[in-house]
Amino acid sequence: MGATAGAAWGRTEQQDFRSRVRGTLLGSAVGDALGSPVGDLTLKEIQEAHGAEGVVDLSFGYGRRGAVSHLTQLTLFTLDGLIRAQVRRDTGAWHPPTDLHRAYLRWASTQRDWGPDERRKEDGWLAREEWLYARREPPRACLVGLGDETMGTLDCPKNAEEQGVEAAARSAPFGLLVGWEPQLVMQLAVECAAQTHGHPTAYLAAGAYAVIVHGLARGESLDTAVQRALQLLAVRPGQQPVADALQQALGAVRQGMPTPARIEDLAGDGTAEGLLSVAVYCALVGEDTRHSLCLSVNHSGPSAATGALTGALLGALHGETALPPAWLAELEGRPTMLVLADDFAMEMTQGPALHGPAGSSQGWLARYPRGYAALPGGTPVPAV
């Protein structure tokens, strides 16, 4: 697999890339925070609680405004896992799906433990962020899929009937591997999705979504990015529901002004492909990022997921400055997200200077260790 580390980056390119990385992570989180408080409500109930226009601002969820759900937690660990994969590449033991699985196991530990274990230095810095230990209604598929050390694969996936959207909603960071070929981005996202969501609809939706983010992060239009995802889906068994959903999103754009009824129709029964369709549609038709995000969460379905999917698309497309500043100001965990996003951008653009033939930064390797922590059951895994 190709990677950006080692490529020549100009200063302007680095700044643009960092803005898109920040935008992707913050956009996903702010969409999650916008939708989380109404995720269990029907459209009618949303309108009864928030007025005829539905949700138009952050509201209280998990005890505060701007709180995020498990979707953002998992997205952060996806980004952390990708950095760790790049760092471990120097060891010759490079297998990104395994590195991502270890990252997801670190997230799973946060859902069982009261707080970080400072003794486990191999966990790295993200797993020591205490706010991430809040349990925010993680779905059974994620808890079961990551409930032991066995990694789900495409040949033997975890939760083979699971069609939920959670795997797709944590997959935006794969699209930020801008030096990779799109088909490799899709493959990695698909393999990592199968660790918890083993139905083809779920893992192919994750792969398609990662490819769309990838195109946006490279400066393409949303329509162009969707078309590339459709091309790559065409050769995948079981791809038809996902391809049809993306085509429906593109077709709905030509049907006039967006309405809640149209979004409800695209969402369907709330499985991954329908919610991906909603996100693409809202990102295409919104007047601005705020409007797109509000459109994406006002429906009878998993509003946090559609908000997160839409927000990452908008952030990758426009960069962090296009996101509503008043919402970002209240976003839970924003300092952590900014540090992680900037670390990812630095690793992707300047990795050889951090851990290359010329020498390694011990501070960087302490933040993103090359070794693995003990498995959840206490079985040690030797560092390479």
Side-chain angles (χ1 to χ4, degrees), residues 79-96:
L79 209 60
D80 177 67
L82 288 172
I83 297 173
R84 296 275 287 264
Q86 288 295 112
V87 171
R88 278 179 57 80
R89 190 179 189 185
D90 295 339
T91 70
W94 197 54
H95 186 247

Side-chain angles (χ1 to χ4, degrees), residues 212-238:
I212 295 169
V213 172
H214 185 251
L216 300 180
R218 293 170 68 159
E220 297 176 354
S221 71
L222 181 50
D223 185 77
T224 298
V226 172
Q227 294 298 338
R228 177 169 289 104
L230 286 168
Q231 291 171 1
L232 293 176
L233 280 172
V235 299
R236 296 268 182 171

Side-chain angles (χ1 to χ4, degrees), residues 168-199:
R170 68 176 184 244
S171 294
F174 298 117
L176 299 173
L177 298 169
V178 295
W180 290 35
E181 292 300 316
Q183 62 268 28
L184 298 180
V185 169
M186 174 174 278
Q187 182 64 24
L188 180 57
V190 163
E191 289 186 29
C192 293
Q195 295 173 10
T196 58
H197 290 66
H199 193 282

Side-chain angles (χ1 to χ4, degrees), residues 33-281:
L34 187 67
S36 285
V38 297
D40 296 328
L41 304 181
T42 65
L43 177 60
K44 181 180 179 182
E45 290 169 338
I46 292 173
Q47 292 171 332
E48 288 173 350
H50 295 271
E53 293 184 41
V55 174
V56 295
D57 198 358
L58 295 178
S59 56
F60 277 81
Y62 305 113
R64 57 160 289 173
R65 282 167 57 99
V68 298
S69 78
H70 65 278
L71 299 172
T72 294
Q73 294 174 344
L74 277 161
T75 300
L76 294 178
F77 278 94
T78 301
L79 209 60
D80 177 67
L82 288 172
I83 297 173
R84 296 275 287 264
Q86 288 295 112
V87 171
R88 278 179 57 80
R89 190 179 189 185
D90 295 339
T91 70
W94 197 54
H95 186 247
T98 297
D99 293 312
L100 269 295
H101 185 239
R102 304 306 307 193
Y104 294 147
L105 290 180
R106 291 194 291 276
W107 168 81
S109 293
T110 70
Q111 303 302 289
R112 294 189 300 270
D113 299 341
W114 288 103
D117 187 340
E118 300 292 341
R119 296 170 298 177
R120 294 205 306 253
K121 301 302 182 184
E122 297 89 348
D123 279 348
W125 77 277
L126 186 66
R128 293 195 288 273
E129 292 286 292
E130 292 191 12
W131 70 275
L132 287 172
Y133 285 72
R135 187 155 173 154
R136 298 289 170 77
E137 301 179 293
R140 182 179 181 276
C142 291
L143 295 176
V144 171
L146 302 169
D148 58 38
E149 65 222 53
T150 303
M151 183 175 73
T153 64
L154 290 176
D155 291 332
C156 190
K158 293 287 188 77
N159 303 312
E161 301 304 316
E162 179 56 58
Q163 301 181 56
V165 72
E166 293 83 12
R170 68 176 184 244
S171 294
F174 298 117
L176 299 173
L177 298 169
V178 295
W180 290 35
E181 292 300 316
Q183 62 268 28
L184 298 180
V185 169
M186 174 174 278
Q187 182 64 24
L188 180 57
V190 163
E191 289 186 29
C192 293
Q195 295 173 10
T196 58
H197 290 66
H199 193 282
T201 297
Y203 61 67
L204 290 176
Y209 180 60
V211 168
I212 295 169
V213 172
H214 185 251
L216 300 180
R218 293 170 68 159
E220 297 176 354
S221 71
L222 181 50
D223 185 77
T224 298
V226 172
Q227 294 298 338
R228 177 169 289 104
L230 286 168
Q231 291 171 1
L232 293 176
L233 280 172
V235 299
R236 296 268 182 171
Q239 55 82 31
Q240 202 61 53
V242 181
D244 288 347
L246 289 174
Q247 294 284 14
Q248 287 171 347
L250 298 178
V253 173
R254 300 186 290 272
Q255 295 173 8
M257 294 292 289
T259 64
R262 187 167 296 125
I263 291 169
E264 296 258 85
D265 184 56
L266 289 172
D269 59 4
T271 52
E273 80 282 8
L275 301 183
L276 174 59
S277 178
V278 168
V280 168
Y281 173 74

Side-chain angles (χ1 to χ4, degrees), residues 285-354:
V285 301
E287 297 170 4
D288 54 27
T289 55
R290 187 185 186 109
H291 183 223
S292 292
L293 285 165
C294 289
L295 284 173
S296 73
V297 302
N298 284 294
H299 63 87
S300 305
S303 297
T306 48
L309 291 167
T310 306
L313 293 178
L314 296 168
L317 180 61
H318 301 297
E320 63 174 320
T321 58
L323 299 171
W327 293 354
L328 292 178
E330 295 190 73
L331 182 63
E332 180 184 27
R334 182 166 64 103
T336 301
M337 296 176 204
L338 289 172
V339 171
L340 185 62
D342 288 354
D343 279 1
F344 179 86
M346 187 154 59
E347 173 63 39
M348 292 300 118
T349 60
Q350 302 176 65
L354 295 167

